[in-house]
Amino acid sequence: LTSLAYILLSMSVKFRDHWGVGVWLFAVMLDFSFAFALWAAFDTSTALIAGGALLLLTIYLSAITPLLIVVSQSDVVVGPARIEKKYIKSVELLTSKSMALRRTREADPRAFLQLRFWVKPGIVIHLNDDRDPHPYWLVSTKHGHEIKEIIEN
């Protein structure tokens, strides 16, 4: 167990995967292309107002869409779901390729999914709670190694 894990076990740890540069560029390009189309069809003030509003909407969406994962000494919270650590059997790390398979061809329809398209790797949290209808949680995250170490120790 590393010293980081000892420190993290004593408190809640939060993980968030924000938009990458590619997603930001795509969103801003969409905003500007829409504003440009409005400028061509109407006037400059309409394009500036709409472009500014779209840019604010993009900033707002970038703030609310990252998945929040909180790991404490006793609980794991992923988005809206919470489970006690005693009901977690194991945590499996997934590469981008294995995550793509797990969320498509190898998916279990009963699984709890918290996916973000801009995050390619992830983890599978296998559960051992007979009352839970979900056999596992499939979660998109770039922080799989850290989350696995904290949950399993």
Side-chain angles (χ1 to χ4, degrees):
L1 195 63
T2 65
S3 59
L4 173 65
Y6 281 118
I7 293 168
L8 298 179
L9 282 172
S10 63
M11 65 184 106
S12 292
V13 183
K14 296 179 182 179
F15 298 95
R16 247 183 227 272
D17 291 314
H18 295 281
W19 287 6
V21 174
V23 176
W24 266 107
L25 286 174
F26 180 74
V28 170
M29 293 287 278
L30 281 176
D31 294 346
F32 283 124
S33 64
F34 187 73
F36 185 72
L38 286 176
W39 172 76
F42 299 105
D43 60 352
T44 304
S45 61
T46 303
L48 288 174
I49 292 169
L54 284 172
L55 197 55
L56 289 175
L57 178 64
T58 300
I59 293 168
Y60 173 72
L61 289 174
S62 75
I64 66 166
T65 56
L67 178 61
L68 177 62
I69 301 170
V70 180
V71 182
S72 70
Q73 286 182 329
S74 60
D75 298 333
V76 176
V77 178
V78 178
R82 177 189 145 302
I83 192 163
E84 292 180 59
K85 286 170 89 175
K86 66 182 180 183
Y87 296 117
I88 296 176
K89 187 183 338 180
S90 64
V91 178
E92 177 186 351
L93 296 173
L94 298 176
T95 63
S96 299
K97 189 175 180 181
S98 58
M99 183 71 167
L101 286 173
R102 207 32 111 70
R103 70 174 179 251
T104 54
R105 191 172 41 180
E106 297 175 4
D108 185 340
R110 300 172 300 151
F112 175 74
L113 306 177
Q114 284 294 304
L115 306 174
R116 300 299 186 261
F117 74 87
W118 61 88
V119 181
K120 302 300 182 201
I123 58 173
V124 177
I125 302 174
H126 296 279
L127 307 179
N128 63 0
D129 185 3
D130 295 331
R131 298 170 298 160
D132 195 332
H134 308 294
Y136 62 87
W137 291 4
L138 183 60
V139 181
S140 296
T141 182
K142 296 175 186 172
H143 307 284
H145 292 285
E146 296 97 328
I147 294 170
K148 179 179 176 159
E149 184 174 353
I150 295 169
I151 289 174
E152 292 183 344
N153 295 313

